[in-house]
Amino acid sequence: MSTTFRKTLFLALRRAGEFIRKNFDRPHRVSFKNKSPINLVTWVDQAADRLIRGTIQKRYPQHDFLTEESTPTHRGSPYKWIIDPLDGTTNFAHHYPQVGVSIGLEDRGTIVLGGVYDPFRDELFWAEKGGGAWLEQAGRRRRIHVSATRQLTKSLLLTGFPYDRRERADFYLSYVRAFLAYIQGIRRAGAAALDLCWVACGRVDGYWEWRLKPWDSAAGKLIVEEAGGRLSDFSGRPFTLYGKQTLATNSRIHREMLRVMRRVARAAARRKVRTR
């Protein structure tokens, strides 16, 4: 992987992160996507998106983009940058400092480089395919690994809830209830890209969420895998950025989490709960 790709990634992440941090305490004009009262967007999301795309396009004008806040491009390039300029918009709109910037680089359908930047902890998580996963903070770089926890009963998990949670709250909470019987704790932080990075660096042992978008998980997927973790859907099938289910673990508790999820899914099927 070209060092220029990596330098461009780091520059785009840090520029956007600095912009988000500088505008964090200002009043935010909030609008809503798809007429949803809980799918928020602010001018900072949109401005950060332009900043990232401008940074990358300056060096790679022919590359394609898939971002949360702008129309995808189709120039025919083998390279595609998959971008969430402000992951955790609801947190940001409420001045809750758990947000990140996520950028993944796809080469012919495979994520080969990815980074997630937390501007409030100054933590830059990144990975290169085949090159391990890393955390840069305060000028220092260290390799990161998933946790060594081997039992679900000793685990701390993260989860999140998609934008249709008001209509399907009971279904999503059925997973929370099931896991509460086995684990030491569950957290809901509200920034999927950072959730994946926290699995990768061992702060939590597993994470699950429904209906993530490619920009939520493109970078985090690679970081988890390069840190020794595992991803799948809730049935154990291979994870895809364009699927509806994301399970990421330290790999050691993956099978146990899948067993719990399958029981929940079977119970929902018996009750004829809508899951799609």
Side-chain angles (χ1 to χ4, degrees), residues 147-202:
S147 73
T149 304
R150 293 186 175 276
Q151 296 172 283
L152 191 58
T153 55
K154 296 180 179 179
S155 296
L156 177 65
L157 304 182
L158 280 167
T159 191
F161 303 107
Y163 290 120
D164 62 348
R165 55 185 172 267
R166 290 186 177 182
E167 296 79 18
R168 305 176 64 211
D170 288 343
F171 175 68
Y172 295 132
L173 289 173
S174 65
Y175 285 85
V176 175
R177 284 194 296 270
F179 279 117
L180 283 174
Y182 295 95
I183 64 173
Q184 291 187 341
I186 292 178
R187 304 292 182 263
R188 201 285 198 200
L194 287 177
D195 290 345
L196 289 166
C197 291
W198 284 24
V199 173
C201 71

Side-chain angles (χ1 to χ4, degrees), residues 176-229:
V176 175
R177 284 194 296 270
F179 279 117
L180 283 174
Y182 295 95
I183 64 173
Q184 291 187 341
I186 292 178
R187 304 292 182 263
R188 201 285 198 200
L194 287 177
D195 290 345
L196 289 166
C197 291
W198 284 24
V199 173
C201 71
R203 292 174 185 167
V204 296
D205 307 298
Y207 160 71
W208 84 93
E209 188 162 353
W210 286 84
R211 302 175 191 277
L212 294 182
K213 299 297 185 181
W215 45 78
D216 294 314
S217 55
K221 167 193 182 295
L222 181 63
I223 295 168
V224 169
E225 290 174 339
E226 290 293 329

Side-chain angles (χ1 to χ4, degrees), residues 18-230:
E18 181 181 3
F19 178 78
I20 290 167
R21 189 171 57 246
K22 285 182 176 179
N23 287 282
F24 181 70
D25 289 323
R26 296 183 180 180
H28 304 309
R29 300 190 304 273
V30 176
S31 54
F32 302 92
K33 298 179 182 178
N34 303 318
K35 299 181 180 180
S36 168
I38 55 176
N39 192 351
L40 282 59
V41 63
T42 72
W43 71 272
V44 176
D45 296 72
Q46 297 162 340
D49 180 73
R50 292 191 296 270
L51 180 60
I52 292 168
R53 286 186 289 111
T55 299
I56 297 171
Q57 283 177 324
K58 186 175 182 179
R59 292 185 175 177
Y60 303 108
Q62 298 306 314
H63 285 191
D64 280 316
F65 291 90
L66 174 62
T67 89
E68 183 174 12
E69 304 302 341
S70 55
T71 303
T73 65
H74 303 282
R75 299 185 177 95
S77 171
Y79 294 106
K80 180 192 296 180
W81 297 84
I82 304 177
I83 300 164
D84 191 342
L86 202 171
D87 181 48
T89 298
T90 301
N91 287 347
F92 180 80
H94 288 271
H95 306 282
Y96 185 83
Q98 178 74 1
V99 304
V101 183
S102 176
I103 305 174
L105 175 60
E106 185 180 81
D107 179 3
R108 299 172 179 87
T110 299
I111 302 297
V112 295
L113 178 67
V116 178
Y117 182 51
D118 179 341
F120 297 103
R121 295 180 181 85
D122 187 31
E123 293 183 332
L124 196 160
F125 300 90
W126 66 277
E128 214 171 278
K129 190 167 181 63
W134 303 83
L135 170 58
E136 300 206 6
Q137 185 182 36
R140 295 183 178 181
R141 177 182 297 180
R142 65 177 178 89
R143 192 159 186 167
I144 57 174
H145 303 276
V146 295
S147 73
T149 304
R150 293 186 175 276
Q151 296 172 283
L152 191 58
T153 55
K154 296 180 179 179
S155 296
L156 177 65
L157 304 182
L158 280 167
T159 191
F161 303 107
Y163 290 120
D164 62 348
R165 55 185 172 267
R166 290 186 177 182
E167 296 79 18
R168 305 176 64 211
D170 288 343
F171 175 68
Y172 295 132
L173 289 173
S174 65
Y175 285 85
V176 175
R177 284 194 296 270
F179 279 117
L180 283 174
Y182 295 95
I183 64 173
Q184 291 187 341
I186 292 178
R187 304 292 182 263
R188 201 285 198 200
L194 287 177
D195 290 345
L196 289 166
C197 291
W198 284 24
V199 173
C201 71
R203 292 174 185 167
V204 296
D205 307 298
Y207 160 71
W208 84 93
E209 188 162 353
W210 286 84
R211 302 175 191 277
L212 294 182
K213 299 297 185 181
W215 45 78
D216 294 314
S217 55
K221 167 193 182 295
L222 181 63
I223 295 168
V224 169
E225 290 174 339
E226 290 293 329
R230 179 182 171 189

